[in-house]
Amino acid sequence: MATIRNIVLVHGGFVDGSGWQGLHKELTENGYRVHIVQNPTLSLAGDVAATHQILDGLDGPAVLVGHSYGGAVITEAGNHPNVAALVYVAAFAPDKGESVNTLIADPPPGAPVPPILPPQNGFLFLDRDKFADSFAADLPAAQAAFMADSQVPWGVDALGGAVSEPAWRTKPAWYLVATDDRMIPPPAQRAMAERTGAIVSETPGSHSVYVSRPATVAGVITQATEGPTGDA
């Protein structure tokens, strides 16, 4: 693999790219060029297009990173020729024909149910009063409350967008499991990671592990820049 210095970060539903700030600091201090996709989360196709816009402008190969729903985005967008590797951070990793909607349709018995409110005019929100417990249990209360109040509407078309060609079938992948996640159950994360053939690591952390443990996430991304055998 060529030396990889570009990192492209794709956020998930209900949030925006500002949540990557801590990770941006970790990576840029280590010499990486970090690009943050402000995907609108209106539709999978639109978010793939937003990601391609960033990838088109790169001067070399990149590691493409997705959190939560962002995993579906990178699974489709990762077929771009500038993508050398994929990193899933407590993320969905759909197969061909699957969407986030199909992956959450049949939760395992006893798994926590994300407090997603009924759609309003085609958009989804999390119950504000349950946001901290389900999405950000390891963040300071004030920070979790701000995230709850600044939610980005998540389009049902994004939730239902199906992957056409999963990039993990042709690109090396890494997966970080958040073991305290109450949005995507850790067993589901492990199953998706195994299916992709990803190099898997685990860490304590909520669904907001990308915010609460930026150094841990940065470590996984650094591994991806070095390739499966560490030969960057």
Side-chain angles (χ1 to χ4, degrees):
M1 293 176 65
T3 300
I4 301 172
R5 306 310 297 171
N6 289 306
I7 313 295
V8 178
L9 307 177
V10 183
H11 65 78
F14 306 118
V15 296
D16 65 17
S18 64
W20 295 115
Q21 185 173 1
L23 181 59
H24 179 277
K25 182 175 185 292
E26 291 279 343
L27 292 170
T28 55
E29 287 180 351
N30 284 300
Y32 293 102
R33 177 71 179 95
V34 181
H35 312 260
I36 296 173
V37 181
Q38 290 284 14
N39 41 311
T41 65
L42 299 177
S43 70
L44 179 62
D47 295 333
V48 169
T51 304
H52 280 176
Q53 185 176 31
I54 297 294
L55 292 168
D56 287 342
L58 299 184
D59 58 1
V63 171
L64 185 58
V65 183
H67 169 255
S68 192
Y69 159 73
V73 179
I74 72 168
T75 298
E76 185 77 19
N79 293 299
H80 192 285
N82 280 342
V83 176
L86 306 165
V87 175
Y88 293 87
V89 181
F92 293 103
D95 203 346
K96 184 174 183 176
E98 292 182 342
S99 65
V100 170
N101 207 27
T102 61
L103 290 172
I104 66 174
D106 189 21
V113 177
I116 300 175
L117 298 171
Q120 297 181 8
N121 300 317
F123 293 98
L124 300 167
F125 290 91
L126 289 178
D127 184 327
R128 186 203 174 280
D129 293 335
K130 298 177 181 177
F131 186 100
D133 184 63
S134 62
F135 199 101
D138 58 350
L139 294 182
Q143 187 175 11
F146 175 79
M147 291 171 68
D149 286 339
S150 62
Q151 287 183 64
V152 177
W154 189 15
V156 295
D157 288 343
L159 189 77
V163 166
S164 62
E165 293 295 335
W168 50 258
R169 291 198 175 276
T170 57
K171 307 283 177 86
W174 280 253
Y175 197 110
L176 180 62
V177 175
T179 60
D180 304 313
D181 198 327
R182 296 174 190 165
M183 291 290 292
I184 306 176
Q189 294 184 39
R190 296 184 187 108
M192 288 186 287
E194 181 179 4
R195 183 173 67 173
T196 65
I199 297 171
V200 183
S201 54
E202 300 198 2
T203 184
S206 74
H207 195 56
S208 291
V209 66
Y210 70 108
V211 180
S212 63
R213 294 182 176 267
T216 300
V217 178
V220 176
I221 294 170
T222 299
Q223 291 175 27
T225 68
E226 296 169 352
T229 56
D231 57 356

